[in-house]
Structure formats: structure tokens, C-alpha cells
Coordinates of all heavy atoms in Angstrom, one line a residue:
M30 N 80.0 129.0 79.3 CA 80.4 129.4 80.7 C 81.7 128.8 81.0 O 82.1 127.7 80.6 CB 79.4 128.9 81.7 CG 78.1 129.7 81.7 SD 78.6 131.3 82.0 CE 77.4 131.9 83.1
T31 N 82.5 129.5 81.8 CA 83.8 129.0 82.3 C 83.6 128.4 83.6 O 83.0 128.9 84.5 CB 84.8 130.2 82.4 OG1 84.9 130.9 81.2 CG2 86.1 129.8 82.9
A32 N 84.2 127.2 83.8 CA 84.1 126.5 85.1 C 85.1 127.2 86.0 O 86.1 127.7 85.6 CB 84.6 125.0 84.9
T33 N 84.7 127.2 87.3 CA 85.5 127.9 88.3 C 86.9 127.3 88.4 O 87.8 127.9 88.9 CB 84.8 128.0 89.7 OG1 84.5 126.7 90.1 CG2 83.6 128.8 89.6
A34 N 87.0 126.0 88.1 CA 88.3 125.4 88.2 C 89.3 126.0 87.2 O 90.5 125.9 87.4 CB 88.2 123.9 87.9
T35 N 88.9 126.7 86.2 CA 89.8 127.2 85.2 C 90.1 128.7 85.4 O 90.7 129.4 84.6 CB 89.3 127.1 83.8 OG1 88.0 127.7 83.7 CG2 89.1 125.6 83.4
L36 N 89.5 129.3 86.5 CA 89.7 130.7 86.8 C 91.2 130.9 87.3 O 91.8 130.1 87.9 CB 88.8 131.1 87.9 CG 87.3 131.2 87.6 CD1 86.5 131.5 88.8 CD2 87.0 132.1 86.4
Q37 N 91.7 132.1 86.9 CA 93.0 132.5 87.4 C 92.8 133.0 88.9 O 91.7 133.2 89.4 CB 93.5 133.6 86.6 CG 93.9 133.2 85.2 CD 94.5 134.3 84.4 OE1 95.0 135.3 85.0 NE2 94.6 134.1 83.1
A38 N 93.9 133.1 89.6 CA 93.8 133.4 91.1 C 93.1 134.7 91.3 O 92.3 134.8 92.3 CB 95.3 133.4 91.7
D39 N 93.4 135.7 90.5 CA 92.7 137.0 90.8 C 91.2 136.9 90.5 O 90.4 137.6 91.2 CB 93.4 138.2 90.0 CG 93.4 137.9 88.5 OD1 93.1 136.8 88.0 OD2 93.8 138.9 87.8
E40 N 90.8 136.1 89.5 CA 89.4 136.0 89.2 C 88.7 135.2 90.4 O 87.6 135.5 90.8 CB 89.2 135.2 87.9 CG 89.7 136.0 86.7 CD 89.9 135.2 85.5 OE1 90.1 134.0 85.6 OE2 89.8 135.8 84.4
K41 N 89.4 134.2 90.9 CA 88.8 133.4 92.0 C 88.7 134.4 93.3 O 87.7 134.3 94.0 CB 89.7 132.3 92.4 CG 89.4 131.5 93.7 CD 88.6 130.4 93.5 CE 88.4 129.5 94.7 NZ 87.6 130.1 95.8
L42 N 89.7 135.2 93.4 CA 89.7 136.1 94.6 C 88.5 137.1 94.5 O 87.9 137.4 95.5 CB 91.0 136.9 94.6 CG 91.2 137.8 95.8 CD1 91.2 137.0 97.1 CD2 92.5 138.6 95.7
A43 N 88.3 137.6 93.3 CA 87.1 138.5 93.1 C 85.8 137.8 93.5 O 85.0 138.5 94.1 CB 87.1 139.0 91.6
L44 N 85.7 136.6 93.1 CA 84.4 135.8 93.5 C 84.4 135.7 95.0 O 83.3 135.8 95.6 CB 84.4 134.5 92.8 CG 84.2 134.5 91.3 CD1 84.3 133.1 90.7 CD2 82.9 135.2 90.9
D45 N 85.5 135.3 95.6 CA 85.5 135.1 97.0 C 85.2 136.5 97.8 O 84.5 136.5 98.8 CB 86.8 134.6 97.5 CG 87.1 133.1 97.1 OD1 86.1 132.5 96.6 OD2 88.2 132.7 97.1
L46 N 85.8 137.5 97.3 CA 85.5 138.9 97.9 C 84.0 139.2 97.7 O 83.4 139.7 98.7 CB 86.4 139.9 97.2 CG 86.2 141.4 97.7 CD1 86.3 141.5 99.2 CD2 87.2 142.3 97.0
M47 N 83.5 139.0 96.6 CA 82.0 139.3 96.4 C 81.2 138.4 97.3 O 80.2 138.9 97.9 CB 81.6 139.1 94.9 CG 82.1 140.2 94.0 SD 81.7 141.8 94.6 CE 79.9 141.7 94.8
A48 N 81.6 137.2 97.5 CA 80.8 136.3 98.5 C 80.9 136.8 99.9 O 79.9 136.8 100.6 CB 81.4 134.9 98.4
A49 N 82.0 137.3 100.3 CA 82.2 137.9 101.6 C 81.3 139.1 101.8 O 80.6 139.3 102.8 CB 83.7 138.2 101.9
I50 N 81.3 140.0 100.8 CA 80.5 141.2 100.8 C 79.0 140.8 100.8 O 78.2 141.4 101.6 CB 80.8 142.1 99.7 CG1 82.2 142.7 99.8 CG2 79.8 143.3 99.6 CD1 82.7 143.4 98.6
R51 N 78.6 139.8 100.0 CA 77.2 139.4 100.0 C 76.8 138.8 101.3 O 75.7 139.0 101.8 CB 77.1 138.3 98.9 CG 75.8 137.6 98.8 CD 74.7 138.6 98.4 NE 73.4 138.0 98.3 CZ 72.7 137.9 97.2 NH1 73.2 138.3 96.1 NH2 71.5 137.4 97.2
A52 N 77.7 138.1 102.0 CA 77.3 137.5 103.3 C 77.1 138.6 104.3 O 76.1 138.5 105.1 CB 78.5 136.6 103.8
A53 N 77.9 139.6 104.3 CA 77.6 140.8 105.2 C 76.3 141.4 104.9 O 75.5 141.8 105.8 CB 78.8 141.8 105.1
A54 N 76.0 141.6 103.6 CA 74.7 142.2 103.2 C 73.5 141.4 103.6 O 72.5 141.9 104.1 CB 74.7 142.4 101.7
D55 N 73.6 140.1 103.4 CA 72.6 139.1 103.7 C 72.3 139.2 105.2 O 71.2 139.2 105.7 CB 72.9 137.7 103.3 CG 72.8 137.4 101.9 OD1 72.0 138.1 101.2 OD2 73.4 136.4 101.4
E56 N 73.4 139.2 106.0 CA 73.2 139.2 107.5 C 72.6 140.5 108.0 O 71.7 140.5 108.8 CB 74.6 139.1 108.1 CG 74.6 139.0 109.6 CD 76.0 138.9 110.3 OE1 76.9 138.3 109.6 OE2 76.1 139.3 111.4
L57 N 73.0 141.6 107.4 CA 72.4 142.9 107.8 C 70.9 143.0 107.4 O 70.1 143.6 108.2 CB 73.2 144.1 107.2 CG 72.6 145.4 107.6 CD1 72.9 145.7 109.1 CD2 73.3 146.5 106.7
C58 N 70.6 142.5 106.3 CA 69.2 142.7 105.8 C 68.2 141.6 106.1 O 67.0 141.8 105.8 CB 69.3 143.0 104.3 SG 70.1 144.5 103.8
A59 N 68.7 140.5 106.7 CA 67.8 139.4 107.0 C 66.6 139.9 107.8 O 66.8 140.8 108.7 CB 68.5 138.3 107.7
P60 N 65.4 139.4 107.6 CA 65.0 138.3 106.7 C 64.8 138.8 105.3 O 64.4 137.9 104.5 CB 63.7 137.8 107.4 CG 63.1 139.1 107.9 CD 64.3 139.9 108.4
S61 N 65.0 140.0 105.0 CA 64.8 140.5 103.6 C 65.9 139.8 102.7 O 66.9 139.3 103.2 CB 64.9 142.0 103.5 OG 63.8 142.6 104.1
H62 N 65.7 139.9 101.4 CA 66.6 139.4 100.5 C 67.4 140.5 99.8 O 66.8 141.6 99.6 CB 65.9 138.5 99.4 CG 65.1 137.5 100.0 ND1 65.6 136.3 100.4 CD2 63.8 137.4 100.2 CE1 64.6 135.5 100.9 NE2 63.5 136.2 100.8
V63 N 68.6 140.3 99.4 CA 69.3 141.3 98.6 C 69.6 140.8 97.2 O 70.0 139.6 97.0 CB 70.6 141.8 99.3 CG1 70.3 142.5 100.6 CG2 71.6 140.6 99.6
D64 N 69.5 141.7 96.2 CA 69.8 141.4 94.8 C 70.8 142.3 94.3 O 70.7 143.5 94.5 CB 68.5 141.5 94.0 CG 67.4 140.6 94.4 OD1 67.7 139.4 94.6 OD2 66.3 141.0 94.6
L65 N 71.9 141.8 93.7 CA 73.0 142.6 93.2 C 72.5 143.5 92.1 O 71.8 143.1 91.1 CB 74.1 141.7 92.7 CG 75.3 142.4 92.2 CD1 76.0 143.1 93.4 CD2 76.3 141.4 91.6
V66 N 72.8 144.8 92.2 CA 72.5 145.8 91.2 C 73.7 146.2 90.4 O 73.7 146.3 89.2 CB 71.9 147.0 91.8 CG1 71.7 148.1 90.8 CG2 70.5 146.7 92.5
S67 N 74.8 146.4 91.1 CA 76.1 146.9 90.5 C 77.3 146.4 91.4 O 77.2 146.3 92.6 CB 76.0 148.4 90.5 OG 77.3 148.9 90.0
V68 N 78.4 146.2 90.7 CA 79.6 145.8 91.4 C 80.8 146.4 90.6 O 80.8 146.4 89.4 CB 79.8 144.3 91.6 CG1 79.9 143.6 90.3 CG2 80.9 144.0 92.5
T69 N 81.8 146.9 91.4 CA 83.0 147.4 90.8 C 84.2 146.7 91.6 O 84.2 146.7 92.8 CB 83.2 148.9 90.9 OG1 82.1 149.5 90.3 CG2 84.4 149.4 90.3
V70 N 85.1 146.1 90.8 CA 86.3 145.5 91.5 C 87.5 146.2 91.0 O 87.7 146.4 89.8 CB 86.3 144.0 91.1 CG1 87.5 143.3 91.7 CG2 85.0 143.3 91.6
D71 N 88.4 146.5 91.9 CA 89.7 147.1 91.6 C 90.8 146.2 92.0 O 90.8 145.8 93.2 CB 89.8 148.5 92.3 CG 88.8 149.5 91.8 OD1 88.7 149.7 90.5 OD2 88.1 150.0 92.6
V72 N 91.7 145.9 91.1 CA 92.8 145.0 91.5 C 94.1 145.9 91.6 O 94.4 146.7 90.7 CB 93.1 144.0 90.3 CG1 94.3 143.1 90.6 CG2 91.8 143.2 90.1
S73 N 94.7 145.8 92.8 CA 95.9 146.6 93.0 C 97.2 145.9 93.0 O 98.3 146.5 93.0 CB 95.8 147.4 94.3 OG 95.5 146.5 95.4
A74 N 97.2 144.5 93.0 CA 98.4 143.7 92.9 C 98.0 142.3 92.4 O 96.9 141.8 92.6 CB 99.0 143.6 94.3
R75 N 99.0 141.8 91.7 CA 98.8 140.4 91.1 C 99.0 139.4 92.2 O 99.9 139.6 93.1 CB 99.8 140.2 90.0 CG 99.7 138.9 89.3 CD 100.8 138.7 88.2 NE 100.9 137.5 87.5 CZ 100.6 136.3 87.9 NH1 100.2 136.1 89.1 NH2 100.8 135.3 87.1
I76 N 98.3 138.3 92.2 CA 98.4 137.2 93.2 C 98.6 135.9 92.5 O 98.1 135.8 91.3 CB 97.3 137.2 94.2 CG1 96.0 136.9 93.5 CG2 97.2 138.4 95.0 CD1 94.9 136.4 94.5
D77 N 99.2 135.0 93.1 CA 99.3 133.6 92.6 C 98.4 132.6 93.3 O 98.2 131.5 92.7 CB 100.8 133.2 92.6 CG 101.7 134.0 91.7 OD1 101.2 134.3 90.6 OD2 102.8 134.4 92.1
D78 N 98.0 132.9 94.5 CA 97.2 132.0 95.3 C 96.1 132.7 96.1 O 96.4 133.4 97.0 CB 98.2 131.3 96.3 CG 97.5 130.2 97.0 OD1 96.3 129.9 96.8 OD2 98.2 129.5 97.9
A79 N 94.9 132.5 95.6 CA 93.8 133.2 96.3 C 93.4 132.6 97.7 O 92.8 133.3 98.5 CB 92.5 133.1 95.4
S80 N 93.9 131.4 98.0 CA 93.6 130.8 99.3 C 94.3 131.5 100.4 O 93.9 131.3 101.6 CB 94.0 129.3 99.2 OG 95.4 129.2 99.2
K81 N 95.3 132.3 100.2 CA 96.0 133.0 101.3 C 95.3 134.3 101.7 O 95.8 135.0 102.5 CB 97.4 133.3 100.9 CG 98.2 132.0 100.6 CD 99.6 132.4 100.2 CE 100.4 131.1 99.9 NZ 101.8 131.4 99.4
A82 N 94.2 134.7 101.0 CA 93.6 136.0 101.3 C 92.7 136.0 102.5 O 92.1 135.0 102.9 CB 92.8 136.4 100.0
S83 N 92.7 137.2 103.1 CA 91.7 137.5 104.2 C 90.8 138.7 103.7 O 91.3 139.5 102.8 CB 92.4 137.8 105.5 OG 93.2 139.0 105.3
F84 N 89.6 138.7 104.2 CA 88.6 139.7 103.7 C 88.2 140.6 104.8 O 88.0 140.2 106.0 CB 87.4 139.0 103.1 CG 87.8 138.1 102.0 CD1 88.0 136.7 102.2 CD2 88.1 138.5 100.7 CE1 88.3 135.8 101.2 CE2 88.5 137.7 99.7 CZ 88.6 136.3 99.9
D85 N 88.0 141.9 104.5 CA 87.4 142.9 105.4 C 86.2 143.5 104.6 O 86.4 144.0 103.5 CB 88.5 143.9 105.7 CG 88.0 145.0 106.6 OD1 87.2 144.6 107.5 OD2 88.4 146.1 106.5
T86 N 85.0 143.4 105.2 CA 83.8 143.9 104.6 C 83.3 145.1 105.4 O 83.6 145.3 106.5 CB 82.8 142.9 104.4 OG1 82.4 142.4 105.7 CG2 83.3 141.7 103.6
R87 N 82.5 145.9 104.7 CA 81.9 147.1 105.3 C 80.5 147.3 104.7 O 80.3 147.0 103.5 CB 82.8 148.3 105.3 CG 82.9 148.8 103.8 CD 83.8 150.0 103.7 NE 83.7 150.6 102.4 CZ 84.3 150.1 101.3 NH1 85.1 149.0 101.5 NH2 84.2 150.6 100.1
I88 N 79.6 147.9 105.5 CA 78.4 148.4 104.9 C 78.5 149.9 104.9 O 78.7 150.6 106.0 CB 77.2 148.0 105.8 CG1 77.1 146.5 105.9 CG2 75.9 148.6 105.3 CD1 77.0 145.7 104.6
D89 N 78.4 150.5 103.8 CA 78.6 152.0 103.7 C 77.3 152.8 104.0 O 77.4 153.8 104.6 CB 79.1 152.4 102.3 CG 80.5 151.8 102.0 OD1 81.3 151.8 102.9 OD2 80.7 151.3 100.9
R90 N 76.2 152.3 103.5 CA 74.9 153.0 103.7 C 73.8 152.0 103.4 O 73.8 151.2 102.5 CB 74.9 154.2 102.7 CG 73.6 155.0 102.9 CD 73.7 156.3 102.1 NE 72.5 157.0 102.2 CZ 71.8 157.5 101.1 NH1 72.4 157.4 99.9 NH2 70.7 158.1 101.3
R91 N 72.7 152.2 104.1 CA 71.5 151.4 103.9 C 70.3 152.3 103.9 O 70.1 153.1 104.8 CB 71.3 150.3 105.0 CG 70.0 149.5 104.8 CD 69.8 148.5 105.9 NE 68.5 147.9 105.6 CZ 68.0 146.9 106.4 NH1 68.7 146.6 107.5 NH2 66.9 146.4 106.1
T92 N 69.5 152.2 102.9 CA 68.2 152.9 102.9 C 67.1 151.8 103.0 O 67.4 150.6 103.2 CB 68.0 153.7 101.6 OG1 67.8 152.8 100.5 CG2 69.2 154.7 101.3
R93 N 65.9 152.2 102.8 CA 64.8 151.2 102.9 C 64.9 150.2 101.8 O 64.6 149.0 102.0 CB 63.5 151.9 102.8 CG 62.3 151.0 103.1 CD 60.9 151.8 103.1 NE 60.8 152.6 101.9 CZ 60.3 152.2 100.7 NH1 60.0 150.9 100.6 NH2 60.1 153.0 99.7
T94 N 65.4 150.6 100.6 CA 65.4 149.7 99.4 C 66.7 149.4 98.8 O 66.9 148.6 97.9 CB 64.5 150.3 98.3 OG1 65.0 151.6 98.0 CG2 63.0 150.4 98.8
I95 N 67.8 150.1 99.2 CA 69.1 150.0 98.6 C 70.2 149.8 99.7 O 70.1 150.5 100.8 CB 69.5 151.2 97.8 CG1 68.5 151.4 96.6 CG2 70.9 151.1 97.2 CD1 68.6 150.4 95.5
L96 N 71.2 149.0 99.4 CA 72.3 148.8 100.4 C 73.6 149.0 99.6 O 73.8 148.4 98.5 CB 72.3 147.4 100.9 CG 73.4 147.0 101.9 CD1 73.2 147.7 103.2 CD2 73.5 145.5 102.1
F97 N 74.5 149.8 100.1 CA 75.8 150.1 99.5 C 76.8 149.4 100.4 O 76.8 149.7 101.6 CB 76.1 151.6 99.5 CG 75.1 152.4 98.6 CD1 73.9 152.8 99.2 CD2 75.3 152.6 97.3 CE1 73.0 153.5 98.4 CE2 74.4 153.3 96.5 CZ 73.2 153.8 97.1
A98 N 77.6 148.5 99.9 CA 78.6 147.8 100.6 C 79.9 147.7 99.9 O 80.0 148.0 98.7 CB 78.0 146.4 100.9
G99 N 80.9 147.2 100.6 CA 82.2 147.1 100.0 C 83.1 146.2 100.8 O 82.7 145.7 101.9
G100 N 84.3 146.1 100.4 CA 85.3 145.3 101.1 C 86.6 145.3 100.4 O 86.8 145.8 99.3
S101 N 87.6 144.6 101.0 CA 88.9 144.4 100.5 C 89.4 143.0 100.8 O 89.0 142.4 101.7 CB 89.8 145.5 101.0 OG 89.9 145.4 102.4
A102 N 90.3 142.6 99.9 CA 91.0 141.4 100.1 C 92.5 141.7 100.3 O 93.1 142.5 99.6 CB 90.9 140.5 98.9
S103 N 93.1 141.0 101.3 CA 94.5 141.3 101.7 C 95.3 139.9 101.6 O 94.7 138.9 102.0 CB 94.6 141.9 103.1 OG 94.0 143.1 103.1
V104 N 96.5 140.0 101.2 CA 97.4 138.8 101.3 C 98.6 139.3 102.0 O 99.3 140.3 101.6 CB 97.7 138.3 99.8 CG1 98.8 137.2 99.9 CG2 96.4 137.8 99.1
D105 N 99.0 138.6 103.0 CA 100.2 139.0 103.8 C 100.1 140.5 104.3 O 101.1 141.2 104.3 CB 101.5 138.7 103.1 CG 101.6 137.2 102.8 OD1 101.2 136.4 103.6 OD2 102.2 136.9 101.7
G106 N 98.9 141.0 104.6 CA 98.8 142.3 105.1 C 98.7 143.4 104.1 O 98.6 144.6 104.4
T107 N 98.8 143.1 102.8 CA 98.7 144.0 101.7 C 97.4 143.9 101.0 O 97.0 142.8 100.6 CB 99.9 143.8 100.8 OG1 101.1 144.0 101.4 CG2 99.8 144.8 99.6
I108 N 96.7 145.0 100.9 CA 95.4 145.0 100.1 C 95.7 144.7 98.6 O 96.5 145.5 98.0 CB 94.6 146.3 100.3 CG1 94.2 146.4 101.7 CG2 93.4 146.3 99.3 CD1 93.4 147.7 102.1
V109 N 95.2 143.7 98.1 CA 95.4 143.4 96.7 C 94.2 143.6 95.8 O 94.3 143.6 94.6 CB 95.9 141.9 96.5 CG1 97.3 141.7 97.2 CG2 94.9 140.9 97.1
M110 N 93.0 143.7 96.4 CA 91.8 143.9 95.7 C 90.7 144.6 96.5 O 90.7 144.3 97.8 CB 91.2 142.6 95.2 CG 90.0 142.6 94.3 SD 89.5 141.0 93.7 CE 90.9 140.6 92.6
S111 N 89.9 145.5 96.0 CA 88.8 146.1 96.7 C 87.6 146.0 95.8 O 87.7 146.0 94.5 CB 89.2 147.5 97.1 OG 89.5 148.3 96.0
A112 N 86.5 146.1 96.4 CA 85.2 146.1 95.6 C 84.1 146.9 96.3 O 84.1 147.0 97.5 CB 84.7 144.6 95.5
T113 N 83.3 147.4 95.5 CA 82.1 148.1 96.0 C 80.9 147.5 95.3 O 81.0 147.1 94.2 CB 82.1 149.6 95.8 OG1 82.2 149.9 94.4 CG2 83.2 150.3 96.6
A114 N 79.8 147.3 96.0 CA 78.6 146.7 95.5 C 77.3 147.5 95.9 O 77.3 148.0 97.0 CB 78.5 145.3 95.9
V115 N 76.3 147.5 95.1 CA 75.0 148.0 95.4 C 74.0 146.9 95.3 O 74.0 146.1 94.3 CB 74.7 149.2 94.4 CG1 73.3 149.7 94.8 CG2 75.7 150.3 94.5
Y116 N 73.2 146.7 96.3 CA 72.2 145.7 96.3 C 70.8 146.4 96.5 O 70.7 147.4 97.2 CB 72.4 144.7 97.5 CG 73.6 143.9 97.4 CD1 74.8 144.4 98.1 CD2 73.6 142.7 96.7 CE1 75.9 143.6 98.0 CE2 74.8 142.0 96.7 CZ 75.9 142.4 97.3 OH 77.1 141.7 97.3
S117 N 69.8 145.8 95.8 CA 68.4 146.2 96.1 C 67.9 145.3 97.3 O 68.3 144.1 97.3 CB 67.5 146.1 94.9 OG 67.4 144.8 94.5
I118 N 67.2 145.9 98.2 CA 66.6 145.1 99.3 C 65.2 144.7 99.0 O 64.4 145.6 98.7 CB 66.7 145.9 100.6 CG1 68.1 146.3 100.9 CG2 66.1 145.1 101.7 CD1 68.3 147.3 102.0
R119 N 64.9 143.4 98.9 CA 63.6 142.9 98.6 C 63.0 142.3 99.9 O 63.5 141.4 100.4 CB 63.7 141.9 97.5 CG 62.5 141.3 97.0 CD 62.7 140.5 95.7 NE 64.0 139.8 95.7 CZ 64.1 138.5 96.0 NH1 63.1 137.8 96.5 NH2 65.3 137.9 95.9
P120 N 61.8 142.8 100.3 CA 61.2 142.2 101.6 C 61.0 140.8 101.4 O 60.6 140.3 100.3 CB 59.9 143.0 101.7 CG 60.2 144.3 100.9 CD 61.1 143.9 99.8
A121 N 61.1 140.1 102.5 CA 60.9 138.6 102.6 C 59.4 138.3 102.4 O 58.6 139.1 102.7 CB 61.4 138.0 103.9

């Protein structure tokens, strides 16, 4: 396994974006739990510092058992990465 300290900026950003999307999914589905089924990440620009990013998340669709979500990461107002995720919803 690779320690997170050795990740490049774009890899760290992908993890941070996924955490932001997961937080939105957790909030919407609470008290149920969400489990990641699928994720797609698209990188549109190279970055040198992931700490400067801001995140915008969205919930695209929710059924009784599945949640479709996504989001984007921006640096200085420019979207540098976007992601979509599918979660299964597991009752608490």
C-alpha cells in the first residue's frame, strides 16, 4: 500500500473530492449507510497543490437502494477534476 504522504497532488485531490461526495451522500441517507459501488474520476488540469481546491457536490438521483452522486474540484475558479459515484444504500 502507498502511504498518503507519497501521493501526488492530483491523487490527493481525487481522495479529497471523493471524501466530499461521500459526506454529501452520508448526510442525505442518514441514518442508513452508504457503500461505494463505482467511481469515475476525470482530470481536466494538472495541479501542484491540492490544498487550494474547493469542492462542489451534487446528488443526481436516489432510489430506495442506490444513490448516484458527483462533484467537482476547482482551483482558482477553474474546474480541475470531476467525479461521479454510485453508492448502495444499506438500512441502519
Side-chain angles (χ1 to χ4, degrees):
M30 285 301 223
T31 302
T33 56
T35 62
L36 294 176
Q37 293 185 16
D39 57 350
E40 295 165 332
K41 170 96 171 74
L42 184 63
L44 292 174
D45 291 344
L46 177 55
M47 285 309 304
I50 295 168
R51 173 64 181 248
D55 283 339
E56 182 179 334
L57 179 71
C58 294
S61 294
H62 305 281
V63 294
D64 298 313
L65 185 63
V66 173
S67 173
V68 64
T69 301
V70 176
D71 296 306
V72 179
S73 54
R75 185 184 175 325
I76 62 162
D77 294 318
D78 186 1
S80 68
K81 297 179 181 179
S83 61
F84 303 99
D85 181 34
T86 61
R87 68 181 188 282
I88 302 300
D89 295 320
R90 183 172 173 225
R91 179 185 178 180
T92 70
R93 186 178 54 81
T94 58
I95 298 288
L96 178 73
F97 299 87
S101 60
S103 300
V104 175
D105 297 326
T107 300
I108 294 175
V109 296
M110 186 176 290
S111 59
T113 57
V115 178
Y116 294 95
S117 63
I118 302 170
R119 183 171 33 96

